[in-house]
């Protein structure tokens, strides 16, 4: 399973990249705003800075909600760097825009997906990635991981190439369950990724190894 980090924070992206486990980055307008990035020029420059850190795909979201606007924005974003994946919302014009980009070899990430039907439409339009938001579904007492499982079955039934990008991941168990189900990618905060490192027996075992080494080498 590929690991994407869901942030526009350059320090966190660099930290995940330096661990050697980072396959890509997802951003959204809220994450850009959180970093204080505003204005088209600054936003485009920031995407470029992210692309310069990572080797893999970088999702950059359009803010238009009409077909012409999404095409205009998406083409501008795609010019920044070959790593850019145009992130398009799951609305009618978005589906049309995904088909447009897909026909022209521009990679897309269909975002704000909350149902299997939406995921099916994204695949039929030729999306490179589909982003079901599992954390936000869990937040409203709906089974986010169950949705990943259903989409996996549907895509496997018909051999769709669209990669399932489990988004809105909140904690390490989400990552483990996504890997068990067979999501192609997960995206989440750095804290969820580094939480995978933690085990008390690892800490205790290391402490004992170092103590025994010190005793026999003093
Ligand atoms: C997906 O690409 C989104 O950026 C993201 O995962 C949303 O996560 P959130 O629900 O934690 O805001």
């Amino acid at each position: 399973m590929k690991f994407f980090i869901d942030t526009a924070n350059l320090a966190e992206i660099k930290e995940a990249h330096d661990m050697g486990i980072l396959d890509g980055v997802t951003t959204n307008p809220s994450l850009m705003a959180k970093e204080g990035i505003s204005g088209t020029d600054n936003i485009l420059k920031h995407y470029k800075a992210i692309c310069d850190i990572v080797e893999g795909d970088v999702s950059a979201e359009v803010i238009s909600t009409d077909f012409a606007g999404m095409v205009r924005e998406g083409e501008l974003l795609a010019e920044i760097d070959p790593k850019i994946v145009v992130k398009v919302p799951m609305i009618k014009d978005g589906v049309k825009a995904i088909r447009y980009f897909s026909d022209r070899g521009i990679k897309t990430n269909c975002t704000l997906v909350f149902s299997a039907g939406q995921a099916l439409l994204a695949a039929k339009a030729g999306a490179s990635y589909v982003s079901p938001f599992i954390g936000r579904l869990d937040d409203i007492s709906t089974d986010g991981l169950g949705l990943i499982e259903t989409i996996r079955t549907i895509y496997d039934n018909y051999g769709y190439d669209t990669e399932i990008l489990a988004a809105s991941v909140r904690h390490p168990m989400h990552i483990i369950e996504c890997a068990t189900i067979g999501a192609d990618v997960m995206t989440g905060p750095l804290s969820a990724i580094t939480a995978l490192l933690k085990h008390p027996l690892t800490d205790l075992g290391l402490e004992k190894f170092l103590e025994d080494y010190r005793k026999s080498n003093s």
Side-chain angles (χ1 to χ4, degrees):
M1 183 169 68
K2 285 187 249 178
F3 275 29
F4 287 3
I5 188 172
D6 194 33
T7 183
N9 183 287
L10 297 181
E12 285 187 6
I13 294 168
K14 197 164 179 334
E15 187 177 336
H17 173 263
D18 290 351
M19 275 175 76
I21 48 86
L22 190 64
D23 299 299
V25 176
T26 52
T27 61
N28 62 42
S30 305
L31 293 170
M32 292 296 268
K34 194 174 161 199
E35 298 307 313
I37 315 294
S38 60
T40 308
D41 279 359
N42 289 335
I43 290 173
L44 297 182
K45 272 187 209 146
H46 200 75
Y47 283 135
K48 181 63 186 157
I50 295 174
C51 290
D52 287 345
I53 299 173
V54 298
E55 273 101 50
D57 286 346
V58 174
S59 286
E61 190 159 341
V62 298
I63 45 145
S64 299
T65 53
D66 64 298
F67 174 71
M70 288 188 220
V71 165
R72 201 170 41 247
E73 265 189 74
E75 286 179 336
L76 192 67
L77 290 167
E79 274 173 23
I80 300 173
D81 194 286
K83 293 169 197 162
I84 291 288
V85 174
V86 181
K87 205 172 177 190
V88 178
M90 171 37 79
I91 54 176
K92 198 171 175 187
D93 276 27
V95 172
K96 205 171 146 188
I98 288 168
R99 167 52 61 202
Y100 173 92
F101 290 128
S102 161
D103 287 347
R104 285 156 185 78
I106 295 174
K107 290 181 90 173
T108 54
N109 174 354
C110 182
T111 190
L112 290 166
V113 166
F114 293 94
S115 75
Q118 292 177 326
L120 186 52
L121 277 176
K124 285 192 70 67
S128 317
Y129 296 101
V130 65
S131 287
F133 280 30
I134 60 174
R136 291 192 194 186
L137 281 170
D138 287 359
D139 289 346
I140 57 157
S141 311
T142 304
D143 184 9
L145 289 163
L147 175 60
I148 300 291
E149 215 162 353
T150 305
I151 299 172
R152 180 74 283 156
T153 303
I154 292 172
Y155 283 12
D156 289 350
N157 282 349
Y158 298 99
Y160 287 121
D161 291 334
T162 303
E163 291 189 61
I164 302 173
L165 196 174
S168 186
V169 157
R170 302 255 197 266
H171 49 72
M173 278 315 291
H174 268 158
I175 301 178
I176 293 160
E177 294 289 349
C178 282
T180 306
I181 293 164
D184 300 289
V185 192
M186 78 83 205
T187 191
L190 182 61
S191 57
I193 297 173
T194 53
L196 293 171
L197 285 167
K198 304 259 186 318
H199 199 287
L201 290 179
T202 303
D203 298 340
L204 282 172
L206 182 60
E207 202 179 303
K208 179 85 170 83
F209 286 157
L210 295 179
E211 188 189 316
D212 290 345
Y213 173 85
R214 271 192 304 270
K215 275 185 202 153
S216 60
N217 287 277
S218 57

